[in-house]
Amino acid sequence: QLKLVESGGELVQPGMTLRLACTRSGFILDPYAVSWFRQAPGKEREGVACISSIRSGSKTIVKDSVKGRIYITRDKAENTIYLHLYNLKIEDTADYTCAATMYCSPTLTPNLPATWGQGTRVTVSS
């Protein structure tokens, strides 16, 4: 089954910045909304951000609690969706996964039919 591929996760110190990437060779992301989710140890998966399809204007939704620190962007030429993580906090530690859907869920639910990636791990520790 076709899967998306995430990259960019690593061990960093609090306050640092990371850029996560979501892409897939041979799978054009333009017509899809793409969301980023994260799952911390012992917690449920939660939606972080979503960007709508290019046709829908690449509009973004970001989880309220991370607004101002986390941004989602689309690079059409690179067929890649980026999640920009600024001023990282220990509580941002999680496995981050992207998913392509037909539209962005206003609540960032992970329960829409989607093509998923396998995830990339972000660890924030001093």
Side-chain angles (χ1 to χ4, degrees):
Q1 184 178 0
L2 189 67
K3 291 184 182 293
L4 302 179
V5 177
E6 301 94 336
S7 62
E10 61 180 276
L11 170 63
V12 296
Q13 293 183 336
M16 293 185 69
T17 296
L18 279 179
R19 186 182 72 169
L20 308 183
C22 170
T23 189
R24 174 73 194 200
S25 177
F27 182 79
I28 303 301
L29 294 174
D30 293 2
Y32 296 94
V34 177
S35 298
W36 280 95
F37 299 90
R38 68 184 182 185
Q39 187 166 19
K43 295 189 177 181
E44 292 187 354
R45 178 178 283 170
E46 63 175 1
V48 179
C50 184
I51 189 164
S52 68
S53 67
I54 287 182
R55 184 175 183 178
S56 297
S58 292
K59 297 175 182 176
T60 62
I61 300 173
V62 179
K63 180 180 172 67
D64 284 345
S65 63
V66 301
K67 281 182 179 176
R69 292 198 304 116
I70 295 181
Y71 299 87
I72 186 170
T73 60
R74 179 191 294 271
D75 188 317
K76 176 180 170 59
E78 295 185 357
N79 192 43
T80 300
I81 306 300
Y82 292 105
L83 188 70
H84 306 263
L85 310 172
Y86 295 96
N87 189 23
L88 279 159
K89 302 178 183 301
I90 291 175
E91 54 263 38
D92 293 320
T93 295
D95 290 327
Y96 286 73
T97 309
C98 63
T101 58
M102 297 309 297
Y103 60 92
C104 285
S105 162
T107 61
L108 296 173
T109 176
N111 296 323
L112 296 179
T115 298
W116 289 87
Q118 292 186 316
T120 185
R121 178 159 294 177
V122 173
T123 303
V124 185
S125 176
S126 56

